[in-house]
């Protein structure tokens, strides 16, 4: 293994777009229409607001990636805008959130596989072994280089979008107008919109994905902005249209009680065979997202290590230019988390669910920081930008920042408190890195 190795960029615009779409459209979209069903047409207001916030964040990342086409994504931008400590702090929390989130994706994929192998729902040991096997399968794929991971991202994104798009667009021909109710249960408008915003918020996590492996991207200053915006817009259109389509195909009560709304809608339209095909699409969706997030869990600490903010081992790469130590350590930690989940007992499950919720909230911190980092970096580059150049970035950075702060507030005081404690645990690591740097330089 070596610290520095020249490698050929492997990810083009379509692979990067597939990474964005694949990481955003994971397991949640397959259940989201059922969660939104009690709110009826009011959910579209929530979708509109969260979509606006997500698109503004996509524009933030697009502008930042054009200005700083460096590996690490949010970490690299925050490091450039706010310095070493803020960069380390975000890299630390973001890295933990990435590998913890992968545990949730592995569990979701295993749950969907129960459609085909019911034993997975009856045998915890078997389910645990299957989940851990998935983790190490994507670890092996990512260890073979960015191109290998990129090809898997393209294939899995196409395979999962086909059944989703088919149910969504053909569903408009099977709609029953009487199923479309704006407020089926007469709930208060403002509280309902807030609730739907909270539900739809998580569907946009991952929009920054193309910016993380920048070192593996062809012409990153152009490819990453395009992939980020295109990927976010594609996901947004599919989310909103699928919500409307499924609400028209299924009655509000049926949709609200569905455990697999896309699969159930497909069965209504075409029969049992379609139910199995869409179920398979859900498994592929989880696997594709797991592949993409596994790529990111290696590159974030690698970028920090290259800036001497993470231990040197994270900066080492194998022959394919993959930061193997970070990849293996992250997957090892996911394995421990999955063992806690499947070890039995209510306590293990509750710990697992809490860590996943904490990881999701922690992922939002870089969004708020990056929104302000864009303005900070522009201000530091004196004379390069006129006042007029600040107009558009100021608008979408401000909206993106407020969106991220609102999302963190919505996570709840307890989760935010634990998130701060998690970040505080990184302080001894930061101090150790200062010691290492001082000894190296002297």
């Amino acid at each position: 293994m070596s610290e520095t190795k020249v490698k050929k960029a492997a990810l083009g615009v379509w692979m990067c777009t597939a990474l964005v779409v694949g990481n955003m459209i994971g397991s949640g979209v397959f259940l989201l229409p059922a969660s939104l069903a009690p709110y009826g047409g009011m959910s579209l207001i929530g979708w509109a607001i969260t979509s606006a916030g997500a698109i503004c964040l996509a524009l933030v990342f697009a502008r930042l990636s054009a200005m700083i086409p460096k590996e690490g994504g949010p970490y690299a931008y925050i490091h450039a805008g706010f310095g070493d400590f803020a960069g380390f702090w975000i890299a630390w929390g973001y890295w933990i959130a990435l590998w913890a989130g992968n545990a949730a994706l592995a569990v979701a994929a295993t749950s969907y596989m129960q459609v085909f192998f019911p034993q997975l729902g009856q045998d915890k040991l078997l389910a645990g072994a299957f989940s851990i096997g998935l983790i190490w399968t994507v670890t092996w794929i990512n260890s073979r280089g960015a191109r290998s991971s990129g090809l898997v991202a393209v294939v899995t994104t196409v395979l999962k979008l086909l059944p989703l798009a088919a149910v969504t667009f053909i569903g408009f021909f099977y709609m029953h107008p009487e199923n479309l109710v704006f407020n089926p249960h007469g709930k208060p408008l403002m509280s309902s919109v807030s609730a739907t915003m909270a539900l739809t918020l998580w569907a946009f996590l991952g929009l920054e994905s193309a910016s993380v492996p920048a070192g593996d991207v062809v012409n990153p200053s152009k490819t990453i902005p395009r992939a980020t915006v295109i990927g976010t817009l594609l996901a947004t259109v599919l989310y909103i249209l699928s919500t409307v389509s499924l609400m028209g195909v299924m009655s509000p009560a049926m949709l609200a009680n569905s455990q697999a709304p896309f699969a159930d809608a497909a069965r209504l339209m075409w029969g049992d065979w379609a139910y199995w095909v869409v179920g398979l699409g859900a498994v592929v969706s989880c696997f594709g997202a797991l592949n993409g997030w596994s790529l990111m869990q290696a590159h974030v600490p690698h970028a920090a290590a290259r800036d001497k903010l993470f231990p040197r081992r994270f900066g080492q790469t194998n022959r394919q230019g993959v930061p193997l130590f970070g990849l293996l350590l992250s997957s090892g930690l996911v394995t421990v988390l999955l063992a806690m989940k499947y070890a039995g007992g209510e306590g293990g499950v509750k710990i697992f669910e809490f860590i996943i919720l904490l990881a999701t909230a922690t992922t939002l911190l870089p969004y708020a920081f990056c929104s302000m980092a864009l303005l900070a970096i522009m201000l530091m580059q004196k004379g390069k930008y006129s006042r007029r150049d600040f107009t558009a970035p100021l608008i979408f950075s401000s909206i993106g920042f407020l969106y991220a702060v609102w999302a963190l507030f919505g996570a709840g005081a307890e989760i935010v408190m634990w998130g701060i404690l998690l970040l505080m645990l990184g302080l001894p690591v930061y101090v150790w890195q200062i010691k290492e740097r001082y000894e190296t330089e002297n």
Side-chain angles (χ1 to χ4, degrees):
M1 299 175 82
S2 61
E3 292 279 352
T4 57
K5 187 179 290 291
V6 177
K7 57 182 178 179
K8 186 179 178 181
L11 303 176
V13 66
W14 293 113
M15 283 188 178
C16 286
T17 302
L19 189 62
V20 173
V21 175
N23 283 5
M24 287 176 66
I25 303 177
S27 59
V29 67
F30 287 89
L31 296 174
L32 206 49
S35 302
L36 294 172
Y39 302 98
M42 291 189 295
S43 62
L44 297 180
I45 301 175
W47 269 126
I49 296 171
T50 47
S51 297
I55 290 168
C56 284
L57 283 171
L59 292 171
V60 167
F61 282 109
R63 185 66 66 94
L64 281 168
S65 61
M67 294 166 63
I68 308 171
K70 287 179 62 179
E71 179 189 35
Y75 154 73
Y77 312 142
I78 293 162
H79 184 220
F82 299 121
D84 285 355
F85 178 67
F88 166 82
W89 217 41
I90 291 299
W92 171 259
Y94 192 42
W95 173 59
I96 293 173
L98 288 172
W99 59 257
N102 282 343
L105 284 170
V107 170
T110 303
S111 296
Y112 284 120
M113 280 299 290
Q114 292 176 27
V115 173
F116 306 98
F117 302 101
Q119 304 94 312
L120 290 172
Q122 301 159 7
D123 188 331
K124 281 189 175 182
L125 185 62
L126 184 62
F130 185 84
S131 295
I132 292 169
L134 282 178
I135 291 295
W136 289 101
T137 299
V138 295
T139 301
W140 175 76
I141 291 169
N142 280 279
S143 72
R144 294 175 60 83
R147 184 162 185 81
S148 174
S149 179
L151 287 171
V152 172
V154 171
V155 171
T156 55
T157 299
V158 170
L159 288 177
K160 71 177 161 187
L161 286 183
L162 283 175
L164 284 177
V167 173
T168 297
F169 291 106
I170 299 175
F172 281 97
F173 296 98
Y174 289 82
M175 289 179 70
H176 301 284
E178 64 273 15
N179 289 339
L180 296 172
V181 183
F182 180 73
N183 190 351
H185 301 290
K187 296 184 177 184
L189 180 63
M190 291 307 296
S191 61
S192 295
V193 169
S194 295
T196 59
M197 286 171 67
L199 288 168
T200 55
L201 167 69
W202 315 118
F204 289 100
L205 295 183
L207 58 89
E208 76 283 7
S209 300
S211 64
V212 174
D216 292 312
V217 176
V218 178
N219 195 3
S221 62
K222 291 184 178 179
T223 298
I224 295 173
R226 289 174 184 170
T228 300
V229 174
I230 293 170
T232 304
L233 288 174
L234 282 174
T236 299
V237 170
L238 184 61
Y239 288 154
I240 294 175
L241 291 181
S242 65
T243 300
V244 175
S245 179
L246 265 65
M247 284 182 175
V249 171
M250 304 167 72
S251 68
M254 183 181 181
L255 183 58
N257 292 317
S258 174
Q259 297 299 309
F262 278 91
D264 286 338
R267 176 181 271 164
L268 281 176
M269 292 188 286
W270 302 306
D272 287 345
W273 68 269
Y275 175 84
W276 299 107
V277 170
V278 175
L280 181 60
V283 175
V284 171
S285 180
C286 292
F287 185 80
L290 187 58
N291 173 68
W293 287 106
S294 293
L295 176 70
M296 292 173 66
Q297 75 182 10
H299 279 275
V300 169
H302 178 250
R306 291 178 65 178
D307 292 329
K308 299 181 179 179
L309 295 178
F310 256 51
R312 285 192 295 265
R313 289 292 302 278
F314 285 95
Q316 297 174 340
T317 59
N318 64 8
R319 291 180 184 178
Q320 288 77 32
V322 176
L324 194 59
F325 176 78
L327 180 64
L328 294 177
L329 177 62
S330 301
S331 293
L333 291 168
V334 178
T335 300
V336 172
L337 197 52
L338 288 170
M340 291 169 57
K341 155 74 175 169
Y342 290 107
E346 191 177 343
V349 175
K350 286 192 176 295
I351 291 170
F352 175 82
E353 290 173 349
F354 176 78
I355 291 173
I356 296 309
L357 184 59
L358 179 62
T360 308
T362 308
T363 307
L364 294 166
L365 269 178
Y367 292 178
F369 271 75
C370 283
S371 297
M372 292 297 103
L374 172 58
L375 299 177
I377 293 167
M378 291 179 70
L379 288 169
M380 286 189 284
Q381 296 177 349
K382 293 179 180 178
K384 190 173 180 180
Y385 302 100
S386 66
R387 285 195 173 187
R388 182 175 294 179
D389 291 331
F390 277 87
T391 303
L394 183 61
I395 292 171
F396 57 70
S397 289
S398 300
I399 295 173
F401 178 77
L402 292 172
Y403 170 78
V405 170
W406 177 87
L408 282 168
F409 173 78
E414 184 182 2
I415 291 298
V416 172
M417 179 196 74
W418 281 105
I420 292 172
L421 290 176
L422 178 72
L423 292 172
M424 296 291 283
L425 289 175
L427 288 176
V429 180
Y430 183 71
V431 172
W432 181 265
Q433 288 311 113
I434 293 176
K435 171 182 172 293
E436 268 196 359
R437 242 184 303 169
Y438 178 79
E439 289 176 348
T440 302
E441 292 168 1
N442 295 278

